[in-house]
């Protein structure tokens, strides 16, 4: 009786190639997840207030709450940015659900125009979920001409829902903190064959 030979399995070289391919695919997958983690983390913070991230609202609540809290304002400028930055009032007393408008004074001390972006957070971190901004200079990059001074407003309210959060029961003071960081300069784009040594104008 003739017995058909069993089909030969993959060779050692084939197995090594398969393992290498799986390893590369896994590495690429982990890299993609690491890039996706940053925006996902930001979305998580924005939706939950985690880490003192404030909320964004279009309108204030229809009704005010019952608690009054002190809201303090902290303004900072990162090293390397030749600006001054300060709140026009250090703190206010605010009823939950009531809209407030506060101005910050910013001056460019340098002899040329500068752009910067304000980063922000709220302390204690548990208050971030209830600190709602309707309008804020921090939503966009800001550009000041040489020696220019401007007033930048922020419009916000404290969500009355904080009155039902046990973690906010003993919180009487909330601090809104900003730090301006210099914007990254645009890179020049080389035009032509690149042999002349002349850089093109930034797009």
């Amino acid at each position: 009786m003739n017995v058909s030979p069993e089909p030969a399995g993959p060779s050692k070289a084939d197995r090594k190639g398969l393992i290498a391919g799986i390893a590369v695919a896994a590495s690429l997958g982990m890299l993609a997840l690491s890039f996706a983690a940053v925006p996902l983390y930001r979305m998580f913070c924005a939706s939950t207030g985690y880490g003192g991230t404030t909320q964004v609202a279009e309108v204030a609540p229809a009704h005010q709450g019952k608690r009054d809290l002190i809201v303090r304002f902290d303004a900072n400028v990162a090293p390397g940015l030749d600006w001054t930055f300060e709140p026009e009032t250090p703190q206010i007393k605010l009823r939950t659900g009531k809209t407030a408008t506060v101005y910050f004074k910013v001056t460019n001390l340098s002899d040329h125009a500068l752009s910067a972006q304000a980063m922000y957070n709220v302390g204690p971190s548990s208050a971030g979920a209830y600190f709602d901004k309707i309008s804020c200079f921090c939503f966009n990059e800001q550009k000041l001409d040489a020696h220019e001074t401007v007033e930048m407003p922020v419009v916000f309210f404290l969500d009355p829902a904080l009155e039902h959060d046990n973690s906010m029961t003993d919180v009487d003071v909330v601090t809104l903190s900003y730090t301006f960081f210099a914007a990254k300069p645009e890179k020049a784009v080389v035009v032509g064959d690149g042999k002349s040594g002349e850089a093109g104008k930034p797009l």
Side-chain angles (χ1 to χ4, degrees):
M1 180 176 62
N2 294 329
V3 179
S4 300
E6 294 182 0
S11 65
K12 289 184 178 180
D14 292 337
R15 287 198 296 270
K16 289 182 179 179
L18 179 61
I19 293 172
I22 293 174
V24 171
S27 299
L28 292 175
M30 293 298 293
L31 181 62
L33 286 174
S34 66
F35 280 108
V38 174
L40 288 174
Y41 178 77
R42 289 176 178 171
M43 290 172 61
F44 169 75
C45 291
S47 62
T48 63
Y50 182 78
T53 303
T54 61
Q55 309 301 296
V56 178
E58 295 183 357
V59 294
H63 303 286
Q64 295 183 17
K66 299 178 180 179
R67 286 190 60 187
D68 292 322
L69 287 85
I70 299 297
V71 181
R72 292 177 178 171
F73 306 102
D74 177 46
N76 307 278
V77 176
L81 179 62
D82 199 9
W83 284 12
T84 61
F85 176 42
E86 60 184 359
E88 294 193 342
T89 180
Q91 65 181 43
I92 62 172
K93 186 176 182 180
L94 186 64
R95 174 67 58 91
T96 55
K98 183 178 180 180
T99 301
T101 301
V102 174
Y103 289 88
F104 288 75
K105 185 178 180 181
V106 190
T107 300
N108 179 3
L109 301 177
S110 73
D111 295 327
H112 55 275
L114 290 173
S115 296
Q117 178 77 50
M119 305 298 290
Y120 57 88
N121 75 315
V122 168
S125 59
S126 57
Y130 306 104
F131 200 109
D132 290 68
K133 294 178 181 177
I134 297 176
S135 176
C136 181
F137 56 87
C138 58
F139 293 162
N140 301 292
E141 185 176 290
Q142 303 295 327
K143 181 178 180 180
L144 270 65
D145 291 329
H147 304 289
E148 181 182 10
T149 296
V150 297
E151 291 183 336
M152 298 183 179
V154 55
V155 182
F156 67 95
F157 63 88
L158 299 175
D159 192 333
L162 69 81
E163 298 175 5
H164 307 293
D165 187 339
N166 292 333
S167 68
M168 293 293 295
T169 301
D170 297 326
V171 176
D172 297 315
V173 179
V174 175
T175 301
L176 174 62
S177 180
Y178 288 103
T179 301
F180 260 115
F181 291 88
K184 294 182 179 179
E186 296 182 1
K187 294 182 179 179
V189 178
V190 178
V191 296
D193 57 9
K195 297 180 180 179
S196 62
E198 295 182 356
K201 295 181 180 179
L203 296 177

